[in-house]
Amino acid sequence: MRRRRFRLTAVTVLLFALAASLPIGSASAGATDATEWREVFSPDGGITRVRIPEQADRAPTARELRAATAATVTPLQNTGPPAERFDLVIVGDGYTASQSGLLRQHAEAKWAEIATTEPWSKYRRSVNVWLVNVVSNQSGVDNDPTQGVNRDTALDMAFFCGGLERLLCLNEAKAQSYARQAPGMDAIVAVGNTTKYGGAGYPSLATVAGGNAQSGRIAIHELGHSVGGLADEYYTPGTTYSGGEPSEPNVTRDPRGSKWASYLGRPTPDGGFISAYEGAHQYAYGIYRPSQDSLMRNINKPFNLIGLHTMDRAIGSKIRSTALPGTGSHTPRYDAP
């Protein structure tokens, strides 16, 4: 039986250029239900938020669903039964039947980047990686290299989503229909046949430019949301948090940081020491994060200690203890907060 697990996370979008010229901040008076938030990543790794028109996906047709059902699945890494492993599914868009080798090359490169990032590196021999061979009629994605370039692809990937050049959107329902063909499914990454830097995050998956070496960081950031349930640790200037104590493990209303008390004062991989730094969860005041600049605040940084433990526990919970290399039981590497 296939396992399906997703945690709902804010839709995230990657934008490499012109971030400074885009409107940021809290919702404007003119914002309506027909808009939605997107995250914007600047070249230095910083993150802000903007609003774009809401994107409505067309439901897959019966023919498209049959094509998804008929798709073949290639194990890039098969370490054991899906019920005993973490299962990462990779789907592609804009790859024709003759480009299956290129799709595999791009998928393997993205997995290699994820697998070398802590704590994924700890579990890399206990993760199944399934590549669903999605075949498109034409090569590439829409609006690449410029607006107005249209291609017939299986998942409808396109740049300039919502008017943002580097925002790489797709039809989420179509992508899910292909991903379900894998034997197990705990997370999904969709790679597009493009070398142009860009990507996006959805509740159930992340998109990345398959042929761009820098775009993989968006997938790692998004897995922090969907797998670990981590909150973003950046903020919009001038905003104040007024809600209750957040459920996410890496943000708190307590200026003493008692939520991660056992970590306080410890050095953290993203630099500095664990404490309580004001500004997180998109708010500048009234809420705190554990470190100055973790991966959930700056795309170019590693996870902080709280993020590492949370991801360690989330990934490890899907893996039977006997599956862990060199161990007979699962003991998290990082102390619990």
Side-chain angles (χ1 to χ4, degrees):
M1 181 178 294
R2 298 188 184 95
R3 296 179 296 135
R4 299 165 187 161
R5 178 180 65 84
F6 299 111
R7 288 191 177 95
L8 187 63
T9 179
V11 177
T12 304
V13 172
L14 191 62
L15 183 64
F16 183 71
L18 303 178
S21 66
L22 294 171
I24 62 174
S26 57
S28 65
T32 69
D33 290 340
T35 64
E36 54 192 4
W37 284 113
R38 290 292 196 266
E39 289 183 335
V40 177
F41 287 63
S42 64
D44 64 359
I47 313 171
T48 56
R49 294 206 304 168
V50 301
R51 275 191 180 273
I52 68 167
E54 186 175 0
Q55 306 298 304
D57 283 346
R58 175 180 61 81
T61 65
R63 180 179 180 180
E64 289 167 337
L65 290 174
R66 287 195 298 270
T69 303
T72 60
V73 179
T74 301
L76 299 185
Q77 179 170 291
N78 187 353
T79 64
E84 301 178 6
R85 301 293 191 271
F86 187 99
D87 291 275
L88 175 65
V89 181
I90 301 178
V91 298
D93 196 37
Y95 301 87
T96 64
S98 64
Q99 293 179 312
S100 59
L102 181 62
L103 170 58
R104 178 164 185 157
Q105 176 186 329
H106 288 173
E108 287 178 336
K110 297 312 173 192
W111 164 239
E113 185 172 2
I114 294 169
T116 56
T117 302
E118 288 280 9
W120 289 98
S121 58
K122 173 183 176 181
Y123 294 103
R124 65 183 304 167
R125 297 180 184 177
S126 301
V127 174
N128 289 334
V129 184
W130 309 103
L131 174 60
V132 182
N133 297 296
V134 183
V135 178
S136 292
N137 291 327
Q138 292 184 305
S139 176
V141 300
D142 288 351
N143 301 322
D144 181 22
T146 58
Q147 281 185 287
V149 176
N150 296 312
R151 295 181 172 91
D152 180 7
T153 66
L155 306 183
D156 302 331
M157 269 198 184
F159 283 109
F160 283 95
C161 183
L164 302 180
E165 181 177 3
R166 306 287 179 165
L167 192 165
L168 184 59
C169 289
L170 51 54
N171 186 308
E172 188 177 10
K174 290 184 181 181
Q176 290 173 337
S177 68
Y178 277 94
R180 291 189 188 101
Q181 307 315 309
M185 185 172 67
D186 292 312
I188 307 170
V189 174
V191 298
N193 188 8
T194 176
T195 59
K196 184 174 182 173
Y197 182 77
Y202 286 79
S204 67
L205 59 87
T207 73
V208 295
N212 186 283
Q214 294 178 290
S215 67
R217 297 298 297 179
I218 183 59
I220 299 170
H221 175 92
E222 283 303 317
L223 290 170
H225 286 309
S226 61
V227 174
L230 296 172
D232 285 308
E233 296 178 12
Y234 67 89
Y235 59 85
T236 301
T239 56
T240 300
Y241 182 77
S242 59
E245 177 63 25
S247 60
E248 295 88 343
N250 60 324
V251 289
T252 184
R253 291 190 61 187
D254 183 3
R256 299 168 299 175
S258 59
K259 197 170 193 176
W260 45 81
S262 66
Y263 285 112
L264 292 174
R266 293 178 56 182
T268 179
D270 53 316
F273 298 86
I274 296 295
S275 184
Y277 300 84
E278 192 168 22
H281 218 10
Q282 291 94 43
Y283 295 91
Y285 306 107
I287 192 164
Y288 301 83
R289 64 188 187 277
S291 65
Q292 193 63 263
D293 280 306
S294 83
L295 193 150
M296 303 312 293
R297 174 173 162 83
N298 186 308
I299 202 71
N300 295 326
K301 296 284 186 175
F303 286 112
N304 58 33
L305 288 181
I306 284 74
L308 280 173
H309 168 77
T310 302
M311 292 295 290
D312 181 88
R313 182 169 51 194
I315 299 168
S317 70
K318 309 299 292 186
I319 301 169
R320 284 189 55 177
S321 59
T322 54
L324 295 172
T327 67
S329 61
H330 170 50
T331 303
R333 179 181 299 175
Y334 313 103
D335 297 337

